[in-house]
Amino acid sequence: MTKKMKLSQLSDMLQDLDVESLEGVTIEGDIELNITGGGGLNPALAYALGSEISQISLHMANIGRMLGFPAEQLFASAFGMGEMPQPQALPTSPKIQELLASKFEVSKVDNWKNPIQEVTLGATSGDGGSRKNTVTIGGENALPYYFDAEMPHRNYVTMDVFDMPIGMAKSVKGNYEDVINDPAEWAKKVVREFNADMVTIHLISTDPLINDTSAKEAAKVVEDVLQAVDVPIVIGGSGNPEKDPEVLEKAAEVAEGERVLLASASLNLDYARIAKAAMDYGHVVLSWTQLEINAQKELNRKLMKQCNVPRDRIIMDPTTAALGYGLDYAYTNMERIRLAGLMGDDELTFPMSSGTTNAWGAREAWMVSSPLKQDSDWGPREYRGPIWEIVTGLALSLAGNDMFMMMHPTSVQVLKEITQTLYGSIESEEIDITNWIGAEV
Amino acid sequence: MKINSPLEAYKFLPATNCGECGEPTCMAFAAHLIDRSHKLTDCTPILEPKFKKKYEELDALLAPEIREIVIGVGEKVAKIGGDDVLYRHKLTFFNQTQYAYDVWDTMDEKDLVERVNYIQDFKKFYVGNFLTVDMVAIRCTSNDPKKFGAAVKKVVETTDLPLILCSFNPEVLKAGLEASKDRNPLLYAANKDNWKEVAELALEYDVPVTLFAPNDLDLLKSMAKTFAAMGTEKLVLDPGTFPTGKQLKQTFTNFVKVRRAGIDGDRDIAYPIMAVPFTAWMAHDDPVSASYWETVVASVFTIKYGDIMILHSTEPYAMLPELHIRDTIYTDPRKPVTVDPAMYKVGEPTADSPVLVTTNFALTYYTVESDLASNKIDCFLWAIDTDGIGVEAAVAGGQLTAAKIKKGIEESGFDLKKDTTHNTIILPGLCARLQGDMEDESGANVMVGPADSGRLPGWLEKNWPPQKK
Ligand code: SF4
């Protein structure tokens, strides 16, 4: 029985072979392959072409066999082999003489459409305050330092000052022994010597379980600090939910017009009273919740809808846990909040603040050595503490945190250096790393 | 992975609900494939020849966007890459960043062995496990193949940790490979000048290889494509880690771009990324500043997409935060935050043993528990339901109050008066302010322990048993 085959049928068969990617190859009626790659056929294309042609020749040979021709023998004699080569037996590691050309491309994120709210702290004399400068945070259109959109403001650091001596890690305390009984001097020191952008005065002595200092007395300390420094300030209570509203209200009154940050309104105290104080005396509210994105939404909503706090007077503190003590939750909580804001959740489009000082609660930051005998040596704690605070803050800066409340001067300096480097404002000598392997260190 | 619903995976499974995989149904198994908590090979039936096609199709669909690369052999084998998401809360990050600390071939042999031992022995206890570092990177500073080969040999004799062989000289790399043939080391690195020779070595010895194209993503992608065409996809990409200023900002941008392109489906560049915080030492002379900056750069690129890195400082104040930031980022966010609120026994407590209070935040609970257990203290430990918040924050936020503690005690069925001889509870130092309320609420003696549970052993020695009043 004879089989007849026309050339048109043959090219139909070839259509199944997926050769459309082979530009420059045409199959003519007389089954001649014309390769028109020009002089500079690139090596990868040549290899791919070779592979395709071999595949085609196999199919051709099959057709030959269908027609009764012993194609395998022809192959065997042509290649000096005993068997017909299988397609898999083609070389797997071809020699390539030139790098394959390629262009790297990546798109920008297209669903970051909602900018973060800008919030300004501090007021100069022109705006009814007495600060020499103001600090503006927020305004982002992308995750921090990303190429998708320029970050409008750098990160800022506000350093802690307390209204009474408190227990501190040894390496922190060493920096403040001379000012520990004088909040005004303490404030001056962090601004002048430690390059703080702002100062936080924590009125912890007002706690009924500590000194129960009256709101009025505490307000005097606020006045002293405002006199001592001309940077914007944050006013913090003691954390006692019964007493804080009264203390912050009085402090807000004496700081009228200075656009301070009141720390903080939370769901477990009379946040409306704190919000009202901020509105009455021209301040900003810190909306503090505990590692819970929905609670953060709820509090922000209440501040806006129920207390009529305008959007440019809200900053969020979604809680900072120390490295090794829940930073994974704090990091992801902030990252989720920031992404939700950028993607359009208006209840979360506020700049964020971190109580980075919490890092000092980690035993790795302050203990002389590990309490566990099996651990490797922890090394000197003077160096462990500051880096604990730095890495805690740095992680949150990458999650979208804008402002840092910090404690150790070295931590402040290094955190500023890295966040401003990523922000793009640090110039430095270019370093050639092409031969880093041989560097003498 | 190319699919994201269990239904899409289910279509390929045998649909017999045989239970071999440990799940009651194929559908349940499919859900675990999608969240990557089971491997396809756990379904033994699908490995049968008749399902070969379905197996292969599903396997391809389930493959992570970023290729997974294996370095080293045996128990200490390291896997890098394998990620599917850009943000950990979207799933979790897989294969934590591998930290390689360096040695170099111009070191004294004795120093080299000592350093390698230090690296492989370094450990830090954390939530029930030891955190350790992963690899040794051997830098060729002599440019002498013989010397390098000898150094690699010494390292191979000293440790089972996976190795990175670092030189741009193919002869040197070859000498290193000869000395570590059976160890599947990572080659570092092919660059625009040596790529042909290095590719040949990678193919000949069948080892993974790093491509180094400082701040040139077009070149990096070209090299990756070329190596793939030559027959190896066991690639690691190093876009260059510049240690300071605008160059460091550009490095950050490059890391974000490469990973985004990979996750978005550009297979040509979907490989693990290497960072080299080591370069911090080229910018700082003072060792403390250099260590600090190296740790900072390492932290940035542990968080943002570095899958493997080469480091120099072995100071504990560098290694401890590095280990912890890695754990922070790679901890599976789907794992529970809390332990069940209950009364737990540590060791074998009796009626004379102390009764301590803590929260049901898993981290707090396990920290306290390990401090007690590792010091062989027998006691009762009460995990109070604070919605998984730590002590200090829970006191501030009202989740830990005297009333809550009392309720926790009552619900546990433990009776302080009957079940102990001392009717005393010990509060954490960070909730000292609850002492008065607690005495009123419970009628028990209330003592205030130290603020950090690491100090409990010393504190108990001094204060336990309590003085009879
Ligand atoms: S082993 Fe495979 S076939 Fe059996 S139940 Fe599990 S998924 Fe289904």
Side-chain angles (χ1 to χ4, degrees):
Chain A
M1 195 175 134
T2 19
K3 262 195 173 185
K4 269 193 183 169
M5 181 173 268
K6 285 188 183 152
L7 280 179
S8 59
Q9 287 174 293
L10 183 60
S11 47
D12 282 347
M13 291 178 75
L14 287 171
Q15 270 178 5
D16 296 330
L17 295 180
D18 191 24
V19 292
E20 71 271 358
S21 60
L22 289 177
E23 289 167 347
V25 179
T26 51
I27 297 177
E28 303 287 5
D30 58 352
I31 319 189
E32 202 177 76
L33 294 173
N34 285 342
I35 300 173
T36 55
L41 191 60
N42 105 16
L45 183 59
Y47 171 67
L49 192 57
S51 150
E52 291 294 339
I53 291 172
S54 308
Q55 300 270 5
I56 293 171
S57 73
L58 278 173
H59 280 265
M60 292 294 190
N62 279 332
I63 295 167
R65 278 170 27 176
M66 274 161 61
L67 298 171
F69 180 75
E72 37 303 47
Q73 288 174 21
L74 182 70
F75 268 86
S77 64
F79 291 99
M81 288 179 271
E83 281 174 35
M84 192 175 100
Q86 298 296 307
Q88 300 91 298
L90 286 167
T92 51
S93 48
K95 295 256 194 279
I96 294 183
Q97 294 307 319
E98 295 294 330
L99 284 173
L100 307 183
S102 181
K103 186 120 192 70
F104 178 86
E105 271 160 27
V106 71
S107 43
K108 292 188 174 181
V109 175
D110 57 10
N111 61 357
W112 292 345
K113 296 210 172 87
N114 211 30
I116 303 304
Q117 176 68 46
E118 274 188 342
V119 176
T120 297
L121 295 170
T124 58
S125 56
D127 290 314
S130 65
R131 304 299 87 197
K132 200 168 118 242
N133 64 293
T134 62
V135 161
T136 301
I137 58 176
E140 295 94 337
N141 285 285
L143 281 185
Y145 325 124
Y146 271 44
F147 64 97
D148 301 85
E150 190 116 353
M151 189 166 156
H153 305 288
R154 69 167 170 93
N155 302 94
Y156 288 89
V157 174
T158 176
M159 287 183 76
D160 296 324
V161 169
F162 294 87
D163 69 344
M164 62 177 281
I166 56 148
M168 286 184 250
K170 196 160 169 254
S171 65
V172 177
K173 202 178 194 167
N175 299 288
Y176 301 116
E177 254 148 4
D178 53 335
V179 293
I180 205 144
N181 288 305
D182 189 339
E185 284 303 311
W186 192 340
K188 271 190 207 162
K189 185 166 189 180
V190 298
V191 174
R192 284 189 198 151
E193 289 179 37
F194 303 149
N195 201 19
D197 298 308
M198 297 178 45
V199 170
T200 304
I201 172 69
H202 296 276
L203 303 171
I204 54 161
S205 74
T206 58
D207 190 326
L209 296 173
I210 302 179
N211 286 355
D212 203 13
T213 308
S214 70
K216 214 170 143 209
E217 284 293 310
K220 281 201 193 117
V221 176
V222 172
E223 284 177 305
D224 291 346
V225 170
L226 282 167
Q227 282 286 326
V229 295
D230 55 14
V231 296
I233 71 162
V234 181
I235 302 172
S238 65
N240 182 302
E242 277 77 47
K243 184 89 176 275
D244 269 3
E246 180 195 344
V247 170
L248 291 176
E249 185 180 68
K250 192 75 199 158
E253 187 187 333
V254 301
E256 180 163 13
E258 298 286 7
R259 208 175 167 97
V260 307
L261 178 62
L262 293 179
S264 1
S266 67
L267 287 166
N268 76 332
L269 51 60
D270 187 357
Y271 55 83
R273 189 167 169 191
I274 293 169
K276 184 169 185 303
M279 302 294 291
D280 287 350
Y281 303 111
H283 303 304
V284 177
V285 179
L286 187 62
S287 167
W288 172 55
T289 55
Q290 287 179 296
L291 297 177
E292 226 283 279
I293 192 167
N294 291 315
Q296 189 69 61
K297 277 169 71 79
E298 181 188 344
L299 180 56
N300 294 352
R301 185 164 59 237
K302 286 182 162 154
L303 290 173
M304 287 189 289
K305 297 271 156 64
Q306 184 188 327
C307 312
N308 296 313
V309 181
R311 298 184 59 85
D312 66 353
R313 285 175 186 266
I314 297 175
I315 294 176
M316 302 183 280
D317 176 356
T319 293
T320 293
L323 176 62
Y325 296 83
L327 181 60
D328 48 334
Y329 309 117
Y331 172 88
T332 282
N333 187 44
M334 274 197 175
E335 188 172 65
R336 288 179 62 201
I337 287 174
R338 177 51 50 91
L339 286 170
L342 290 170
M343 289 191 283
D345 186 336
D346 276 339
E347 286 171 354
L348 294 171
T349 39
F350 299 99
M352 292 187 278
S353 170
S354 147
T356 315
T357 300
N358 288 351
W360 290 94
R363 58 169 65 160
E364 289 81 355
W366 58 266
M367 264 192 192
V368 181
S369 59
S370 173
L372 301 175
K373 292 167 205 74
Q374 309 95 309
D375 276 4
S376 296
D377 184 5
W378 280 13
R381 63 171 159 177
E382 302 86 270
Y383 296 138
R384 249 189 284 126
I387 195 80
W388 222 260
E389 190 178 11
I390 294 164
V391 174
T392 301
L394 173 57
L396 297 179
S397 84
L398 291 165
N401 188 66
D402 298 271
M403 193 173 98
F404 299 86
M405 301 193 180
M406 299 180 72
M407 191 91 225
H408 195 289
T410 305
S411 312
V412 171
Q413 187 220 322
V414 178
L415 186 91
K416 280 186 144 190
E417 179 84 14
I418 184 62
T419 54
Q420 289 173 35
T421 298
L422 295 174
Y423 170 71
S425 60
I426 303 271
E427 298 288 344
S428 75
E429 213 179 297
E430 299 222 329
I431 290 176
D432 180 5
I433 60 164
T434 34
N435 279 311
W436 72 265
I437 294 173
E440 297 269 339
V441 296
Chain B
M1 86 174 68
K2 301 289 178 218
I3 50 177
N4 50 31
S5 91
L7 211 57
E8 288 171 280
Y10 176 79
K11 287 193 295 207
F12 295 89
L13 295 173
T16 58
N17 299 335
C18 73
E20 292 270 325
C21 55
E23 293 298 325
T25 63
C26 295
M27 193 52 136
F29 182 72
H32 285 284
L33 288 175
I34 295 300
D35 73 18
R36 293 184 55 180
S37 54
H38 281 342
K39 289 200 294 286
L40 182 52
T41 48
D42 295 342
C43 167
T44 36
I46 204 173
L47 302 176
E48 290 165 21
K50 62 176 171 178
F51 292 118
K52 186 161 187 274
K53 192 156 170 276
K54 294 208 155 177
Y55 169 81
E56 281 167 1
E57 278 170 17
L58 183 53
D59 194 47
L61 290 172
L62 292 171
E65 294 298 336
I66 306 300
R67 289 174 185 77
E68 193 173 72
I69 308 294
V70 174
I71 305 165
V73 291
E75 226 174 81
K76 301 274 164 128
V77 69
K79 279 191 197 157
I80 58 174
D83 279 314
D84 265 321
V85 293
L86 289 170
Y87 310 108
R88 60 189 288 273
H89 64 270
K90 296 272 185 188
L91 183 64
T92 182
F93 289 152
F94 294 89
N95 298 330
Q96 60 179 7
T97 310
Q98 296 293 295
Y99 291 149
Y101 293 81
D102 76 329
V103 296
W104 49 100
D105 65 356
T106 46
M107 275 177 113
D108 274 359
E109 190 179 298
K110 191 173 138 280
D111 294 346
L112 181 135
V113 170
E114 203 175 293
R115 189 168 160 93
V116 170
N117 280 327
Y118 177 84
I119 294 165
Q120 68 176 340
D121 293 341
F122 193 86
K123 59 179 183 172
K124 157 91 164 47
F125 191 79
Y126 184 61
V127 201
N129 271 309
F130 282 102
L131 305 175
T132 55
V133 301
D134 317 287
M135 295 193 177
V136 178
I138 306 151
R139 291 189 295 128
C140 178
T141 44
S142 67
N143 204 29
D144 174 355
K146 261 214 201 110
K147 244 188 139 123
F148 188 68
V152 173
K153 185 161 174 274
K154 199 77 225 165
V155 176
V156 166
E157 286 165 12
T158 314
T159 182
D160 290 336
L161 291 182
L163 311 177
I164 308 179
L165 308 180
C166 306
S167 172
F168 295 117
N169 179 346
E171 307 256 309
V172 167
L173 288 176
K174 193 174 171 70
L177 281 165
E178 278 301 319
S180 59
K181 263 203 246 85
D182 325 323
R183 300 287 292 273
N184 189 33
L186 172 64
L187 288 183
Y188 186 101
N191 61 21
K192 68 178 184 345
D193 303 316
N194 70 9
W195 64 269
K196 261 179 247 169
E197 293 90 336
V198 175
E200 265 167 42
L201 288 174
L203 288 163
E204 184 189 339
Y205 289 87
D206 193 22
V207 291
V209 56
T210 315
L211 312 179
F212 178 51
N215 197 23
D216 187 344
L217 298 185
D218 289 340
L219 173 63
L220 193 62
K221 187 168 167 183
S222 277
M223 285 170 57
K225 264 180 98 164
T226 309
F227 275 59
M230 289 170 88
T232 179
E233 293 192 354
K234 294 201 270 182
L235 307 177
V236 177
L237 308 178
D238 180 1
T241 302
F242 293 86
T244 53
K246 296 254 160 69
Q247 288 181 307
L248 176 51
K249 180 173 175 65
Q250 186 59 45
T251 301
F252 179 81
T253 300
N254 290 341
F255 273 60
V256 171
K257 282 185 171 175
V258 170
R259 180 51 42 92
R260 186 186 292 171
I263 296 285
D264 284 354
D266 182 349
R267 290 297 285 166
D268 289 340
I269 197 113
Y271 297 96
I273 309 178
M274 175 181 283
V276 184
F278 173 96
T279 57
W281 291 81
M282 299 168 81
H284 290 272
D285 293 330
D286 159 56
V288 176
S289 309
S291 271
Y292 256 54
W293 197 249
E294 186 184 44
T295 308
V296 162
V297 173
S299 302
V300 169
F301 294 115
T302 298
I303 296 169
K304 288 294 177 183
Y305 310 136
D307 297 291
I308 179 169
M309 55 181 71
I310 299 178
L311 300 147
H312 179 65
S313 177
T314 52
E315 293 290 345
Y317 61 83
M319 295 170 93
L320 292 173
E322 284 159 3
L323 285 171
H324 275 288
I325 193 66
R326 169 172 85 180
D327 185 82
T328 297
I329 295 305
Y330 282 86
T331 292
D332 190 337
R334 299 166 297 178
K335 78 165 195 214
V337 184
T338 58
V339 296
D340 288 338
M343 163 74 93
Y344 293 91
K345 287 180 181 174
V346 180
E348 294 183 9
T350 65
D352 293 328
S353 302
V355 177
L356 297 124
V357 168
T358 187
T359 78
N360 75 325
F361 181 34
L363 258 159
T364 311
Y365 175 81
Y366 285 118
T367 305
V368 177
E369 199 262 352
S370 68
D371 286 338
L372 293 165
S374 78
N375 284 287
K376 309 220 169 356
I377 294 168
D378 297 322
C379 62
F380 298 98
L381 182 57
W382 232 314
I384 302 294
D385 185 359
T386 58
D387 305 329
I389 292 175
V391 176
E392 195 171 19
V395 172
Q399 293 90 348
L400 186 60
T401 60
K404 270 237 168 156
I405 299 174
K406 185 169 172 249
K407 189 161 160 268
I409 294 173
E410 281 167 5
E411 281 172 4
S412 74
F414 189 89
D415 188 333
L416 271 173
K417 284 206 191 75
K418 272 200 228 132
D419 296 334
T420 70
T421 54
H422 47 71
N423 190 27
T424 299
I425 47 179
I426 302 170
L427 295 181
L430 292 172
C431 63
R433 65 161 69 163
L434 302 181
Q435 187 178 21
D437 279 1
M438 195 62 225
E439 276 166 354
D440 298 347
E441 288 262 358
S442 67
N445 308 317
V446 178
M447 298 171 83
V448 176
D452 189 295
S453 58
R455 291 191 169 168
L456 271 173
W459 186 89
L460 285 169
E461 212 162 278
K462 250 200 238 148
N463 297 289
W464 196 264
Q467 307 285 322
K468 286 261 179 303
K469 279 190 190 158

